[in-house]
Amino acid sequence: PPLVESYAGDQEAFDRSFAAAWYKLTSRDMGPVTRCIGPDVPPPQPFQAALPDPPRNPQVNYTHVNELVRGFIASGLEDGENYAALFVRLAWRCASTFRMSDYTGGCNGARL
């Protein structure tokens, strides 16, 4: 049967579905349930992803990355544009997608 008819015949099912949808709508941007405090926090829902564990041993050679970036900035593109301007635009776009509430977005969040 169509969704409307199934809910019209079962008010309790509608109430459960509505409560779950309302909770998701009002709490989606609050981040993982571990960051919520107080006695009125409802149980975690499947859409609330836990924060990832921090890297244990990052294998990034920041000196090498710094040298590469400086090399790019010192060189120019064929059309005369500078790499520095591209890096500034990239950093701005990365920062503008970061959401502090649930730590998503940004360069590491892949929302470019």
Side-chain angles (χ1 to χ4, degrees):
L3 188 61
V4 173
E5 290 177 10
S6 64
Y7 281 141
D10 188 356
Q11 182 67 38
E12 192 173 310
F14 174 77
D15 290 342
R16 280 192 311 273
S17 295
F18 182 83
W22 185 256
Y23 178 80
K24 184 174 183 177
L25 177 70
T26 59
S27 65
R28 182 182 71 88
D29 293 339
M30 294 175 69
V33 74
T34 55
R35 296 183 64 212
C36 300
I37 58 173
D40 298 325
V41 176
Q45 303 296 310
F47 67 88
Q48 290 175 308
L51 291 175
D53 293 332
R56 292 186 195 145
N57 188 12
Q59 299 295 319
V60 179
N61 182 343
Y62 292 106
T63 304
H64 180 64
V65 171
N66 188 347
E67 291 169 2
L68 289 173
V69 171
R70 287 180 184 273
F72 279 124
I73 290 174
S75 67
L77 297 171
E78 290 179 10
D79 62 358
E81 189 168 5
N82 190 320
Y83 273 113
L86 292 176
F87 277 114
V88 169
R89 284 200 300 270
L90 177 63
W92 178 261
R93 289 176 182 160
C94 287
S96 70
T97 62
F98 181 73
R99 208 168 51 200
M100 187 67 177
S101 61
D102 57 357
Y103 301 120
T104 58
C107 293
N108 207 19
R111 287 199 180 184
L112 291 178

